[in-house]
Amino acid sequence: MNPRIDINLAKLKYNSNLIVEKANRFSIDVAAVTKGFCGNPVIAEAIAEGGVKYLADSRLENLLKMQHIKLEKILLRLPMLSQVKEVVKYADISLNSELETIVALNEAAKEQNKTHKIILMLDLGDLREGIFDEKELDAVIKYLLKLNNIDLVGIGTNLTCFGGVIPTKENLGELINSAKRVEETMGKPLDIISGGNSSSFYLINNSEIPPEVNHLRFGEAILLGTESTYGRDIPEAYQDTFKLVAEIIEIKTKPSVPIGEIGRDAFGNVPTFEDKGLMKRAILAVGKQDISTHTIIPCDKEAEVLGGSSDHLLMDLTHCKKDYRVGDEMIFNLTYGSMLALMTSEYVHKNYINSIE
Ligand SMILES: *Cc1c(COP(=O)(O)O)cnc(C)c1O
């Protein structure tokens, strides 16, 4: 069925296992981040088989789909005040930075006769979530110790997400200093020091990860075998885990520049065109509803993506050696954004592949 996303479960399990083994060498536990594939339970199972210790997602709806998998679940996005009951019910651990929310989680946990675990997030300069001010941190910790149904299990940070700040020995050193202060106030050690996402992977590869960091949250590294900091491939990992397959519905020779006065396109932008003379143009049945404006990379290196509208993808096949016909499939490698969009689109068939080839 087309369009479809081919999902190689064997490669995903392999990547998961590879990352777990590399992390374990530094006594680091791995939380597999499942939001890139909407918490799809089939994929989550394959990744769980790779040996990760936790499943982590930013959305409760996704954690709900994976409840049958017997691993601790972490909610990555700070909980909404309006959702604290469900958070306590479906997540074992949540990441937090707002005392008001933690107090509400405590109340919800009390009602459900539970203890809810939290990891307190510190902002080391990337300016997304986390406590920024040291005094606020001290005050929050003192208050937290009075809450009977909240268990502060760790502290963590998130980098290279909003501000693009790269994790280093120096900024993770600040996290460790804060952890030590928290441990002094608590009078006991923290279980978890969570040193970031896939952008921290390069520190493992270079053996530069501070020894106190014992927990990392990996999405992209497992899913696409890439390391987000420098955009490099992780050696030995598979990058071709997810592929888009779309079908040609028209193929014709036409000019490269539209004919007539140019107004706005379907999305309100005024398009510009380079005159390359006549082109062998193909239309594929997939569009911006499924891939948004995210990058897809044709496996046929001579093919070029021209653009698209909601339901159509336009390609220049002028330089292709292969003689494409209507009904032929074209295959694309994906980036994180296009994987996420295709997994989210209900119009894209999900096709599972169980062998490495
Ligand atoms: C998305 C997310 C991750 C995973 O990021 P990757 O770059 O895909 O590894 C980790 N932690 C938090 C808080 C996230 O929101």
Side-chain angles (χ1 to χ4, degrees), residues 298 300-305 315-320 324 330:
D300 183 336
K301 295 282 169 268
E302 276 107 26
E304 197 188 327
V305 176
M315 304 277 305
D316 176 6
L317 305 184
T318 312
H319 304 289
C320 294
Y324 287 98
M330 292 194 76

Side-chain angles (χ1 to χ4, degrees), residues 33 35 76 95 121 128-129 158 197-198 217-220 228 336:
V33 175
K35 67 189 185 203
L76 293 172
L95 307 187
M121 293 301 277
R128 204 178 78 176
E129 74 273 46
N158 198 52
N197 53 44
S198 295
R217 312 175 306 269
F218 289 135
E220 182 175 337
S228 33
Y336 192 90

Side-chain angles (χ1 to χ4, degrees), residues 31-36 56-58 75-78 95 121 128-129 157-161 194 196-200 216-223 226 228 336 339:
V33 175
T34 55
K35 67 189 185 203
D57 206 289
S58 45
L75 180 65
L76 293 172
R77 189 169 65 188
L78 306 178
L95 307 187
M121 293 301 277
R128 204 178 78 176
E129 74 273 46
T157 194
N158 198 52
L159 291 159
T160 342
C161 256
S194 190
N197 53 44
S198 295
S199 69
S200 294
L216 289 168
R217 312 175 306 269
F218 289 135
E220 182 175 337
I222 296 176
L223 298 179
T226 47
S228 33
Y336 192 90
M339 167 188 66

Side-chain angles (χ1 to χ4, degrees), residues 48-293:
E49 282 170 21
V52 299
K53 189 165 175 192
Y54 307 87
L55 294 175
D57 206 289
S58 45
R59 294 173 194 251
L60 266 187
E61 290 86 344
N62 293 347
L63 290 183
L64 215 77
K65 297 181 205 165
M66 305 185 288
Q67 290 294 310
H68 63 287
I69 303 175
K70 296 272 166 277
L71 291 177
E72 275 199 297
K73 313 289 181 312
I74 303 176
L75 180 65
L76 293 172
R77 189 169 65 188
L78 306 178
M80 292 185 257
L81 263 183
S82 59
Q83 225 180 16
V84 288
K85 285 195 175 84
E86 291 82 2
V87 172
V88 167
K89 200 161 172 200
Y90 299 115
D92 303 288
I93 305 175
S94 61
L95 307 187
N96 284 275
S97 71
E98 290 288 358
L99 188 54
E100 196 180 350
T101 309
I102 301 170
V103 169
L105 286 167
N106 183 58
E107 286 303 311
K110 196 185 284 176
E111 278 169 26
Q112 295 175 38
N113 276 320
K114 278 187 164 178
T115 305
H116 182 69
K117 298 180 189 173
I118 66 166
I119 294 175
L120 206 57
M121 293 301 277
L122 305 188
D123 188 338
L124 302 179
D126 199 56
L127 303 185
R128 204 178 78 176
E129 74 273 46
I131 295 174
F132 191 72
D133 181 77
E134 280 191 8
K135 288 203 184 75
E136 182 185 349
L137 176 64
D138 292 340
V140 167
I141 298 296
K142 293 218 174 82
Y143 199 95
L144 277 186
L145 294 174
K146 296 187 219 153
L147 302 175
N148 291 325
N149 297 70
I150 293 291
D151 187 7
L152 175 64
V153 292
I155 68 165
T157 194
N158 198 52
L159 291 159
T160 342
C161 256
F162 180 71
V165 174
I166 291 172
T168 56
K169 279 188 279 191
E170 287 71 33
N171 54 26
L172 288 181
E174 283 179 44
L175 178 72
I176 290 151
N177 286 339
S178 299
K180 285 184 182 143
R181 291 228 322 274
V182 170
E183 288 173 339
E184 271 168 32
T185 314
M186 286 174 51
K188 61 170 186 167
L190 291 163
D191 293 338
I192 295 175
I193 298 182
S194 190
N197 53 44
S198 295
S199 69
S200 294
F201 186 81
Y202 89 99
L203 291 171
I204 291 188
N205 243 9
N206 298 355
S207 300
E208 282 176 18
I209 191 93
E212 291 88 350
V213 169
N214 63 7
H215 183 276
L216 289 168
R217 312 175 306 269
F218 289 135
E220 182 175 337
I222 296 176
L223 298 179
L224 296 174
T226 47
E227 163 279 291
S228 33
T229 316
Y230 299 105
R232 292 190 200 125
D233 291 350
I234 293 173
E236 300 158 66
Y238 288 105
Q239 283 78 42
D240 55 349
T241 42
F242 290 83
K243 285 187 173 176
L244 165 66
V245 183
E247 188 172 321
I248 298 176
I249 53 174
E250 182 187 288
I251 189 155
K252 291 188 194 305
T253 300
K254 295 186 188 180
S256 41
V257 178
I259 296 144
E261 199 184 325
I262 306 291
R264 288 173 195 280
D265 69 11
F267 288 83
N269 307 307
V270 179
T272 53
F273 299 90
E274 186 191 337
D275 192 353
K276 296 181 181 172
L278 285 178
M279 256 183 193
K280 186 174 177 189
R281 300 166 69 97
I283 303 178
L284 277 60
V286 67
K288 287 189 180 171
Q289 184 164 10
D290 316 295
I291 49 179
S292 187
T293 49

